[in-house]
mmCIF file with all atom_site columns, all heavy atoms in Angstrom:
data_model
loop_
_atom_site.group_PDB
_atom_site.id
_atom_site.type_symbol
_atom_site.label_atom_id
_atom_site.label_alt_id
_atom_site.label_comp_id
_atom_site.label_asym_id
_atom_site.label_entity_id
_atom_site.label_seq_id
_atom_site.pdbx_PDB_ins_code
_atom_site.Cartn_x
_atom_site.Cartn_y
_atom_site.Cartn_z
_atom_site.occupancy
_atom_site.B_iso_or_equiv
_atom_site.pdbx_formal_charge
_atom_site.auth_seq_id
_atom_site.auth_comp_id
_atom_site.auth_asym_id
_atom_site.auth_atom_id
_atom_site.pdbx_PDB_model_num
ATOM 1   N N   . GLY A 1 1  ? -1.396 3.581   10.382  1.00 0.00 ? 51 GLY A N   1
ATOM 2   C CA  . GLY A 1 1  ? -1.385 4.690   11.324  1.00 0.00 ? 51 GLY A CA  1
ATOM 3   C C   . GLY A 1 1  ? -2.580 5.570   11.057  1.00 0.00 ? 51 GLY A C   1
ATOM 4   O O   . GLY A 1 1  ? -3.475 5.226   10.275  1.00 0.00 ? 51 GLY A O   1
ATOM 5   N N   . PRO A 1 2  ? -2.622 6.749   11.674  1.00 0.00 ? 52 PRO A N   1
ATOM 6   C CA  . PRO A 1 2  ? -3.703 7.690   11.370  1.00 0.00 ? 52 PRO A CA  1
ATOM 7   C C   . PRO A 1 2  ? -3.613 8.178   9.936   1.00 0.00 ? 52 PRO A C   1
ATOM 8   O O   . PRO A 1 2  ? -2.544 8.100   9.307   1.00 0.00 ? 52 PRO A O   1
ATOM 9   C CB  . PRO A 1 2  ? -3.482 8.827   12.378  1.00 0.00 ? 52 PRO A CB  1
ATOM 10  C CG  . PRO A 1 2  ? -2.040 8.731   12.744  1.00 0.00 ? 52 PRO A CG  1
ATOM 11  C CD  . PRO A 1 2  ? -1.683 7.272   12.680  1.00 0.00 ? 52 PRO A CD  1
ATOM 12  N N   . LEU A 1 3  ? -4.711 8.682   9.418   1.00 0.00 ? 53 LEU A N   1
ATOM 13  C CA  . LEU A 1 3  ? -4.757 9.059   8.006   1.00 0.00 ? 53 LEU A CA  1
ATOM 14  C C   . LEU A 1 3  ? -3.694 10.089  7.658   1.00 0.00 ? 53 LEU A C   1
ATOM 15  O O   . LEU A 1 3  ? -3.098 10.034  6.573   1.00 0.00 ? 53 LEU A O   1
ATOM 16  C CB  . LEU A 1 3  ? -6.153 9.574   7.658   1.00 0.00 ? 53 LEU A CB  1
ATOM 17  C CG  . LEU A 1 3  ? -6.489 9.673   6.166   1.00 0.00 ? 53 LEU A CG  1
ATOM 18  C CD1 . LEU A 1 3  ? -7.982 9.516   5.947   1.00 0.00 ? 53 LEU A CD1 1
ATOM 19  C CD2 . LEU A 1 3  ? -6.036 10.993  5.558   1.00 0.00 ? 53 LEU A CD2 1
ATOM 20  N N   . HIS A 1 4  ? -3.438 11.034  8.564   1.00 0.00 ? 54 HIS A N   1
ATOM 21  C CA  . HIS A 1 4  ? -2.455 12.072  8.213   1.00 0.00 ? 54 HIS A CA  1
ATOM 22  C C   . HIS A 1 4  ? -1.039 11.501  8.104   1.00 0.00 ? 54 HIS A C   1
ATOM 23  O O   . HIS A 1 4  ? -0.161 12.132  7.511   1.00 0.00 ? 54 HIS A O   1
ATOM 24  C CB  . HIS A 1 4  ? -2.496 13.225  9.227   1.00 0.00 ? 54 HIS A CB  1
ATOM 25  C CG  . HIS A 1 4  ? -2.098 12.848  10.628  1.00 0.00 ? 54 HIS A CG  1
ATOM 26  N ND1 . HIS A 1 4  ? -2.976 12.332  11.540  1.00 0.00 ? 54 HIS A ND1 1
ATOM 27  C CD2 . HIS A 1 4  ? -0.898 12.926  11.262  1.00 0.00 ? 54 HIS A CD2 1
ATOM 28  C CE1 . HIS A 1 4  ? -2.362 12.121  12.684  1.00 0.00 ? 54 HIS A CE1 1
ATOM 29  N NE2 . HIS A 1 4  ? -1.099 12.460  12.545  1.00 0.00 ? 54 HIS A NE2 1
ATOM 30  N N   . ALA A 1 5  ? -0.812 10.293  8.653   1.00 0.00 ? 55 ALA A N   1
ATOM 31  C CA  . ALA A 1 5  ? 0.499  9.659   8.487   1.00 0.00 ? 55 ALA A CA  1
ATOM 32  C C   . ALA A 1 5  ? 0.687  9.109   7.081   1.00 0.00 ? 55 ALA A C   1
ATOM 33  O O   . ALA A 1 5  ? 1.814  8.771   6.692   1.00 0.00 ? 55 ALA A O   1
ATOM 34  C CB  . ALA A 1 5  ? 0.667  8.545   9.519   1.00 0.00 ? 55 ALA A CB  1
ATOM 35  N N   . LEU A 1 6  ? -0.399 9.003   6.311   1.00 0.00 ? 56 LEU A N   1
ATOM 36  C CA  . LEU A 1 6  ? -0.293 8.539   4.924   1.00 0.00 ? 56 LEU A CA  1
ATOM 37  C C   . LEU A 1 6  ? 0.385  9.582   4.044   1.00 0.00 ? 56 LEU A C   1
ATOM 38  O O   . LEU A 1 6  ? 1.023  9.227   3.042   1.00 0.00 ? 56 LEU A O   1
ATOM 39  C CB  . LEU A 1 6  ? -1.694 8.216   4.386   1.00 0.00 ? 56 LEU A CB  1
ATOM 40  C CG  . LEU A 1 6  ? -1.803 7.773   2.938   1.00 0.00 ? 56 LEU A CG  1
ATOM 41  C CD1 . LEU A 1 6  ? -1.037 6.478   2.703   1.00 0.00 ? 56 LEU A CD1 1
ATOM 42  C CD2 . LEU A 1 6  ? -3.281 7.590   2.551   1.00 0.00 ? 56 LEU A CD2 1
ATOM 43  N N   . THR A 1 7  ? 0.253  10.855  4.390   1.00 0.00 ? 57 THR A N   1
ATOM 44  C CA  . THR A 1 7  ? 0.805  11.924  3.550   1.00 0.00 ? 57 THR A CA  1
ATOM 45  C C   . THR A 1 7  ? 2.313  11.784  3.359   1.00 0.00 ? 57 THR A C   1
ATOM 46  O O   . THR A 1 7  ? 2.797  11.790  2.213   1.00 0.00 ? 57 THR A O   1
ATOM 47  C CB  . THR A 1 7  ? 0.463  13.298  4.147   1.00 0.00 ? 57 THR A CB  1
ATOM 48  O OG1 . THR A 1 7  ? -0.938 13.357  4.409   1.00 0.00 ? 57 THR A OG1 1
ATOM 49  C CG2 . THR A 1 7  ? 0.844  14.415  3.189   1.00 0.00 ? 57 THR A CG2 1
ATOM 50  N N   . PRO A 1 8  ? 3.113  11.671  4.423   1.00 0.00 ? 58 PRO A N   1
ATOM 51  C CA  . PRO A 1 8  ? 4.560  11.492  4.176   1.00 0.00 ? 58 PRO A CA  1
ATOM 52  C C   . PRO A 1 8  ? 4.894  10.189  3.468   1.00 0.00 ? 58 PRO A C   1
ATOM 53  O O   . PRO A 1 8  ? 5.900  10.121  2.738   1.00 0.00 ? 58 PRO A O   1
ATOM 54  C CB  . PRO A 1 8  ? 5.165  11.528  5.598   1.00 0.00 ? 58 PRO A CB  1
ATOM 55  C CG  . PRO A 1 8  ? 4.036  11.275  6.532   1.00 0.00 ? 58 PRO A CG  1
ATOM 56  C CD  . PRO A 1 8  ? 2.817  11.810  5.866   1.00 0.00 ? 58 PRO A CD  1
ATOM 57  N N   . ILE A 1 9  ? 4.069  9.153   3.635   1.00 0.00 ? 59 ILE A N   1
ATOM 58  C CA  . ILE A 1 9  ? 4.308  7.899   2.908   1.00 0.00 ? 59 ILE A CA  1
ATOM 59  C C   . ILE A 1 9  ? 4.157  8.131   1.407   1.00 0.00 ? 59 ILE A C   1
ATOM 60  O O   . ILE A 1 9  ? 4.987  7.692   0.597   1.00 0.00 ? 59 ILE A O   1
ATOM 61  C CB  . ILE A 1 9  ? 3.343  6.807   3.396   1.00 0.00 ? 59 ILE A CB  1
ATOM 62  C CG1 . ILE A 1 9  ? 3.660  6.421   4.838   1.00 0.00 ? 59 ILE A CG1 1
ATOM 63  C CG2 . ILE A 1 9  ? 3.402  5.586   2.485   1.00 0.00 ? 59 ILE A CG2 1
ATOM 64  C CD1 . ILE A 1 9  ? 2.702  5.414   5.432   1.00 0.00 ? 59 ILE A CD1 1
ATOM 65  N N   . LEU A 1 10 ? 3.096  8.839   1.011   1.00 0.00 ? 60 LEU A N   1
ATOM 66  C CA  . LEU A 1 10 ? 2.897  9.137   -0.407  1.00 0.00 ? 60 LEU A CA  1
ATOM 67  C C   . LEU A 1 10 ? 3.976  10.071  -0.932  1.00 0.00 ? 60 LEU A C   1
ATOM 68  O O   . LEU A 1 10 ? 4.485  9.891   -2.053  1.00 0.00 ? 60 LEU A O   1
ATOM 69  C CB  . LEU A 1 10 ? 1.515  9.758   -0.613  1.00 0.00 ? 60 LEU A CB  1
ATOM 70  C CG  . LEU A 1 10 ? 0.311  8.833   -0.375  1.00 0.00 ? 60 LEU A CG  1
ATOM 71  C CD1 . LEU A 1 10 ? -0.993 9.600   -0.572  1.00 0.00 ? 60 LEU A CD1 1
ATOM 72  C CD2 . LEU A 1 10 ? 0.354  7.629   -1.298  1.00 0.00 ? 60 LEU A CD2 1
ATOM 73  N N   . LEU A 1 11 ? 4.353  11.079  -0.140  1.00 0.00 ? 61 LEU A N   1
ATOM 74  C CA  . LEU A 1 11 ? 5.401  12.007  -0.581  1.00 0.00 ? 61 LEU A CA  1
ATOM 75  C C   . LEU A 1 11 ? 6.700  11.272  -0.844  1.00 0.00 ? 61 LEU A C   1
ATOM 76  O O   . LEU A 1 11 ? 7.400  11.534  -1.839  1.00 0.00 ? 61 LEU A O   1
ATOM 77  C CB  . LEU A 1 11 ? 5.614  13.090  0.484   1.00 0.00 ? 61 LEU A CB  1
ATOM 78  C CG  . LEU A 1 11 ? 4.503  14.138  0.621   1.00 0.00 ? 61 LEU A CG  1
ATOM 79  C CD1 . LEU A 1 11 ? 4.768  15.020  1.838   1.00 0.00 ? 61 LEU A CD1 1
ATOM 80  C CD2 . LEU A 1 11 ? 4.404  14.993  -0.638  1.00 0.00 ? 61 LEU A CD2 1
ATOM 81  N N   . LYS A 1 12 ? 7.037  10.340  0.032   1.00 0.00 ? 62 LYS A N   1
ATOM 82  C CA  . LYS A 1 12 ? 8.267  9.566   -0.163  1.00 0.00 ? 62 LYS A CA  1
ATOM 83  C C   . LYS A 1 12 ? 8.178  8.696   -1.410  1.00 0.00 ? 62 LYS A C   1
ATOM 84  O O   . LYS A 1 12 ? 9.149  8.562   -2.175  1.00 0.00 ? 62 LYS A O   1
ATOM 85  C CB  . LYS A 1 12 ? 8.526  8.703   1.076   1.00 0.00 ? 62 LYS A CB  1
ATOM 86  C CG  . LYS A 1 12 ? 9.802  7.891   0.992   1.00 0.00 ? 62 LYS A CG  1
ATOM 87  C CD  . LYS A 1 12 ? 10.017 7.065   2.257   1.00 0.00 ? 62 LYS A CD  1
ATOM 88  C CE  . LYS A 1 12 ? 11.290 6.228   2.155   1.00 0.00 ? 62 LYS A CE  1
ATOM 89  N NZ  . LYS A 1 12 ? 11.486 5.397   3.382   1.00 0.00 ? 62 LYS A NZ  1
ATOM 90  N N   . ALA A 1 13 ? 6.990  8.110   -1.632  1.00 0.00 ? 63 ALA A N   1
ATOM 91  C CA  . ALA A 1 13 ? 6.826  7.260   -2.822  1.00 0.00 ? 63 ALA A CA  1
ATOM 92  C C   . ALA A 1 13 ? 6.885  8.066   -4.104  1.00 0.00 ? 63 ALA A C   1
ATOM 93  O O   . ALA A 1 13 ? 7.310  7.555   -5.152  1.00 0.00 ? 63 ALA A O   1
ATOM 94  C CB  . ALA A 1 13 ? 5.497  6.517   -2.729  1.00 0.00 ? 63 ALA A CB  1
ATOM 95  N N   . PHE A 1 14 ? 6.444  9.327   -4.048  1.00 0.00 ? 64 PHE A N   1
ATOM 96  C CA  . PHE A 1 14 ? 6.435  10.174  -5.243  1.00 0.00 ? 64 PHE A CA  1
ATOM 97  C C   . PHE A 1 14 ? 7.821  10.721  -5.575  1.00 0.00 ? 64 PHE A C   1
ATOM 98  O O   . PHE A 1 14 ? 8.015  11.296  -6.648  1.00 0.00 ? 64 PHE A O   1
ATOM 99  C CB  . PHE A 1 14 ? 5.474  11.341  -5.061  1.00 0.00 ? 64 PHE A CB  1
ATOM 100 C CG  . PHE A 1 14 ? 4.015  10.938  -4.988  1.00 0.00 ? 64 PHE A CG  1
ATOM 101 C CD1 . PHE A 1 14 ? 3.073  11.784  -4.411  1.00 0.00 ? 64 PHE A CD1 1
ATOM 102 C CD2 . PHE A 1 14 ? 3.586  9.725   -5.486  1.00 0.00 ? 64 PHE A CD2 1
ATOM 103 C CE1 . PHE A 1 14 ? 1.734  11.416  -4.346  1.00 0.00 ? 64 PHE A CE1 1
ATOM 104 C CE2 . PHE A 1 14 ? 2.256  9.358   -5.423  1.00 0.00 ? 64 PHE A CE2 1
ATOM 105 C CZ  . PHE A 1 14 ? 1.324  10.204  -4.849  1.00 0.00 ? 64 PHE A CZ  1
ATOM 106 N N   . GLU A 1 15 ? 8.765  10.598  -4.672  1.00 0.00 ? 65 GLU A N   1
ATOM 107 C CA  . GLU A 1 15 ? 10.112 11.104  -4.925  1.00 0.00 ? 65 GLU A CA  1
ATOM 108 C C   . GLU A 1 15 ? 10.862 10.165  -5.868  1.00 0.00 ? 65 GLU A C   1
ATOM 109 O O   . GLU A 1 15 ? 10.429 9.049   -6.152  1.00 0.00 ? 65 GLU A O   1
ATOM 110 C CB  . GLU A 1 15 ? 10.885 11.243  -3.609  1.00 0.00 ? 65 GLU A CB  1
ATOM 111 C CG  . GLU A 1 15 ? 10.374 12.367  -2.719  1.00 0.00 ? 65 GLU A CG  1
ATOM 112 C CD  . GLU A 1 15 ? 11.202 12.496  -1.453  1.00 0.00 ? 65 GLU A CD  1
ATOM 113 O OE1 . GLU A 1 15 ? 12.229 11.791  -1.343  1.00 0.00 ? 65 GLU A OE1 1
ATOM 114 O OE2 . GLU A 1 15 ? 10.814 13.290  -0.574  1.00 0.00 ? 65 GLU A OE2 1
ATOM 115 N N   . ALA A 1 16 ? 12.008 10.637  -6.329  1.00 0.00 ? 66 ALA A N   1
ATOM 116 C CA  . ALA A 1 16 ? 12.819 9.837   -7.258  1.00 0.00 ? 66 ALA A CA  1
ATOM 117 C C   . ALA A 1 16 ? 13.276 8.553   -6.587  1.00 0.00 ? 66 ALA A C   1
ATOM 118 O O   . ALA A 1 16 ? 13.690 8.578   -5.429  1.00 0.00 ? 66 ALA A O   1
ATOM 119 C CB  . ALA A 1 16 ? 14.030 10.645  -7.711  1.00 0.00 ? 66 ALA A CB  1
ATOM 120 N N   . PRO A 1 17 ? 13.210 7.419   -7.279  1.00 0.00 ? 67 PRO A N   1
ATOM 121 C CA  . PRO A 1 17 ? 13.643 6.149   -6.677  1.00 0.00 ? 67 PRO A CA  1
ATOM 122 C C   . PRO A 1 17 ? 15.150 6.105   -6.508  1.00 0.00 ? 67 PRO A C   1
ATOM 123 O O   . PRO A 1 17 ? 15.900 6.724   -7.257  1.00 0.00 ? 67 PRO A O   1
ATOM 124 C CB  . PRO A 1 17 ? 13.177 5.111   -7.696  1.00 0.00 ? 67 PRO A CB  1
ATOM 125 C CG  . PRO A 1 17 ? 13.127 5.845   -8.998  1.00 0.00 ? 67 PRO A CG  1
ATOM 126 C CD  . PRO A 1 17 ? 12.721 7.257   -8.650  1.00 0.00 ? 67 PRO A CD  1
ATOM 127 N N   . SER A 1 18 ? 15.554 5.379   -5.476  1.00 0.00 ? 68 SER A N   1
ATOM 128 C CA  . SER A 1 18 ? 16.992 5.182   -5.267  1.00 0.00 ? 68 SER A CA  1
ATOM 129 C C   . SER A 1 18 ? 17.534 4.207   -6.310  1.00 0.00 ? 68 SER A C   1
ATOM 130 O O   . SER A 1 18 ? 16.798 3.411   -6.891  1.00 0.00 ? 68 SER A O   1
ATOM 131 C CB  . SER A 1 18 ? 17.249 4.622   -3.862  1.00 0.00 ? 68 SER A CB  1
ATOM 132 O OG  . SER A 1 18 ? 16.712 5.497   -2.885  1.00 0.00 ? 68 SER A OG  1
ATOM 133 N N   . ALA A 1 19 ? 18.834 4.246   -6.518  1.00 0.00 ? 69 ALA A N   1
ATOM 134 C CA  . ALA A 1 19 ? 19.444 3.413   -7.560  1.00 0.00 ? 69 ALA A CA  1
ATOM 135 C C   . ALA A 1 19 ? 19.309 1.924   -7.258  1.00 0.00 ? 69 ALA A C   1
ATOM 136 O O   . ALA A 1 19 ? 19.250 1.101   -8.169  1.00 0.00 ? 69 ALA A O   1
ATOM 137 C CB  . ALA A 1 19 ? 20.929 3.785   -7.693  1.00 0.00 ? 69 ALA A CB  1
ATOM 138 N N   . HIS A 1 20 ? 19.252 1.552   -5.955  1.00 0.00 ? 70 HIS A N   1
ATOM 139 C CA  . HIS A 1 20 ? 19.214 0.138   -5.602  1.00 0.00 ? 70 HIS A CA  1
ATOM 140 C C   . HIS A 1 20 ? 17.804 -0.418  -5.587  1.00 0.00 ? 70 HIS A C   1
ATOM 141 O O   . HIS A 1 20 ? 17.621 -1.614  -5.324  1.00 0.00 ? 70 HIS A O   1
ATOM 142 C CB  . HIS A 1 20 ? 19.850 -0.069  -4.219  1.00 0.00 ? 70 HIS A CB  1
ATOM 143 C CG  . HIS A 1 20 ? 19.082 0.593   -3.111  1.00 0.00 ? 70 HIS A CG  1
ATOM 144 N ND1 . HIS A 1 20 ? 19.279 1.919   -2.777  1.00 0.00 ? 70 HIS A ND1 1
ATOM 145 C CD2 . HIS A 1 20 ? 18.098 0.119   -2.289  1.00 0.00 ? 70 HIS A CD2 1
ATOM 146 C CE1 . HIS A 1 20 ? 18.470 2.227   -1.769  1.00 0.00 ? 70 HIS A CE1 1
ATOM 147 N NE2 . HIS A 1 20 ? 17.750 1.158   -1.458  1.00 0.00 ? 70 HIS A NE2 1
ATOM 148 N N   . GLU A 1 21 ? 16.770 0.416   -5.848  1.00 0.00 ? 71 GLU A N   1
ATOM 149 C CA  . GLU A 1 21 ? 15.398 -0.063  -5.737  1.00 0.00 ? 71 GLU A CA  1
ATOM 150 C C   . GLU A 1 21 ? 15.055 -1.020  -6.871  1.00 0.00 ? 71 GLU A C   1
ATOM 151 O O   . GLU A 1 21 ? 15.505 -0.880  -8.007  1.00 0.00 ? 71 GLU A O   1
ATOM 152 C CB  . GLU A 1 21 ? 14.408 1.111   -5.768  1.00 0.00 ? 71 GLU A CB  1
ATOM 153 C CG  . GLU A 1 21 ? 14.295 1.847   -4.455  1.00 0.00 ? 71 GLU A CG  1
ATOM 154 C CD  . GLU A 1 21 ? 13.190 2.889   -4.534  1.00 0.00 ? 71 GLU A CD  1
ATOM 155 O OE1 . GLU A 1 21 ? 13.167 3.654   -5.512  1.00 0.00 ? 71 GLU A OE1 1
ATOM 156 O OE2 . GLU A 1 21 ? 12.347 2.922   -3.629  1.00 0.00 ? 71 GLU A OE2 1
ATOM 157 N N   . SER A 1 22 ? 14.220 -1.983  -6.528  1.00 0.00 ? 72 SER A N   1
ATOM 158 C CA  . SER A 1 22 ? 13.698 -2.901  -7.539  1.00 0.00 ? 72 SER A CA  1
ATOM 159 C C   . SER A 1 22 ? 12.647 -2.191  -8.358  1.00 0.00 ? 72 SER A C   1
ATOM 160 O O   . SER A 1 22 ? 11.996 -1.264  -7.894  1.00 0.00 ? 72 SER A O   1
ATOM 161 C CB  . SER A 1 22 ? 13.080 -4.127  -6.859  1.00 0.00 ? 72 SER A CB  1
ATOM 162 O OG  . SER A 1 22 ? 12.370 -4.894  -7.791  1.00 0.00 ? 72 SER A OG  1
ATOM 163 N N   . THR A 1 23 ? 12.475 -2.606  -9.581  1.00 0.00 ? 73 THR A N   1
ATOM 164 C CA  . THR A 1 23 ? 11.462 -2.004  -10.449 1.00 0.00 ? 73 THR A CA  1
ATOM 165 C C   . THR A 1 23 ? 10.283 -2.921  -10.666 1.00 0.00 ? 73 THR A C   1
ATOM 166 O O   . THR A 1 23 ? 9.449  -2.668  -11.524 1.00 0.00 ? 73 THR A O   1
ATOM 167 C CB  . THR A 1 23 ? 12.071 -1.648  -11.818 1.00 0.00 ? 73 THR A CB  1
ATOM 168 O OG1 . THR A 1 23 ? 12.590 -2.845  -12.395 1.00 0.00 ? 73 THR A OG1 1
ATOM 169 C CG2 . THR A 1 23 ? 13.151 -0.615  -11.669 1.00 0.00 ? 73 THR A CG2 1
ATOM 170 N N   . GLY A 1 24 ? 10.166 -3.979  -9.915  1.00 0.00 ? 74 GLY A N   1
ATOM 171 C CA  . GLY A 1 24 ? 9.044  -4.899  -10.092 1.00 0.00 ? 74 GLY A CA  1
ATOM 172 C C   . GLY A 1 24 ? 8.254  -5.069  -8.818  1.00 0.00 ? 74 GLY A C   1
ATOM 173 O O   . GLY A 1 24 ? 8.766  -4.888  -7.723  1.00 0.00 ? 74 GLY A O   1
ATOM 174 N N   . VAL A 1 25 ? 7.000  -5.433  -8.971  1.00 0.00 ? 75 VAL A N   1
ATOM 175 C CA  . VAL A 1 25 ? 6.146  -5.772  -7.845  1.00 0.00 ? 75 VAL A CA  1
ATOM 176 C C   . VAL A 1 25 ? 5.891  -7.263  -7.963  1.00 0.00 ? 75 VAL A C   1
ATOM 177 O O   . VAL A 1 25 ? 4.980  -7.699  -8.646  1.00 0.00 ? 75 VAL A O   1
ATOM 178 C CB  . VAL A 1 25 ? 4.840  -4.964  -7.879  1.00 0.00 ? 75 VAL A CB  1
ATOM 179 C CG1 . VAL A 1 25 ? 3.996  -5.276  -6.653  1.00 0.00 ? 75 VAL A CG1 1
ATOM 180 C CG2 . VAL A 1 25 ? 5.132  -3.474  -7.938  1.00 0.00 ? 75 VAL A CG2 1
ATOM 181 N N   . GLU A 1 26 ? 6.726  -8.037  -7.306  1.00 0.00 ? 76 GLU A N   1
ATOM 182 C CA  . GLU A 1 26 ? 6.748  -9.465  -7.592  1.00 0.00 ? 76 GLU A CA  1
ATOM 183 C C   . GLU A 1 26 ? 5.555  -10.215 -7.011  1.00 0.00 ? 76 GLU A C   1
ATOM 184 O O   . GLU A 1 26 ? 5.215  -11.289 -7.481  1.00 0.00 ? 76 GLU A O   1
ATOM 185 C CB  . GLU A 1 26 ? 8.040  -10.080 -7.034  1.00 0.00 ? 76 GLU A CB  1
ATOM 186 C CG  . GLU A 1 26 ? 9.302  -9.583  -7.738  1.00 0.00 ? 76 GLU A CG  1
ATOM 187 C CD  . GLU A 1 26 ? 9.802  -8.271  -7.149  1.00 0.00 ? 76 GLU A CD  1
ATOM 188 O OE1 . GLU A 1 26 ? 9.174  -7.784  -6.199  1.00 0.00 ? 76 GLU A OE1 1
ATOM 189 O OE2 . GLU A 1 26 ? 10.796 -7.748  -7.669  1.00 0.00 ? 76 GLU A OE2 1
ATOM 190 N N   . HIS A 1 27 ? 4.928  -9.689  -5.960  1.00 0.00 ? 77 HIS A N   1
ATOM 191 C CA  . HIS A 1 27 ? 3.983  -10.501 -5.202  1.00 0.00 ? 77 HIS A CA  1
ATOM 192 C C   . HIS A 1 27 ? 2.532  -10.116 -5.462  1.00 0.00 ? 77 HIS A C   1
ATOM 193 O O   . HIS A 1 27 ? 1.659  -10.531 -4.718  1.00 0.00 ? 77 HIS A O   1
ATOM 194 C CB  . HIS A 1 27 ? 4.289  -10.375 -3.708  1.00 0.00 ? 77 HIS A CB  1
ATOM 195 C CG  . HIS A 1 27 ? 5.702  -10.726 -3.371  1.00 0.00 ? 77 HIS A CG  1
ATOM 196 N ND1 . HIS A 1 27 ? 6.184  -12.009 -3.477  1.00 0.00 ? 77 HIS A ND1 1
ATOM 197 C CD2 . HIS A 1 27 ? 6.735  -9.944  -2.955  1.00 0.00 ? 77 HIS A CD2 1
ATOM 198 C CE1 . HIS A 1 27 ? 7.470  -12.016 -3.123  1.00 0.00 ? 77 HIS A CE1 1
ATOM 199 N NE2 . HIS A 1 27 ? 7.823  -10.785 -2.815  1.00 0.00 ? 77 HIS A NE2 1
#
């Protein structure tokens, strides 16, 4: 998307992970 749409993506990633999230980057 446009560059300013990256901001909420980063904010969400910086928040605490949910309990069901994986902790690996498999690919």
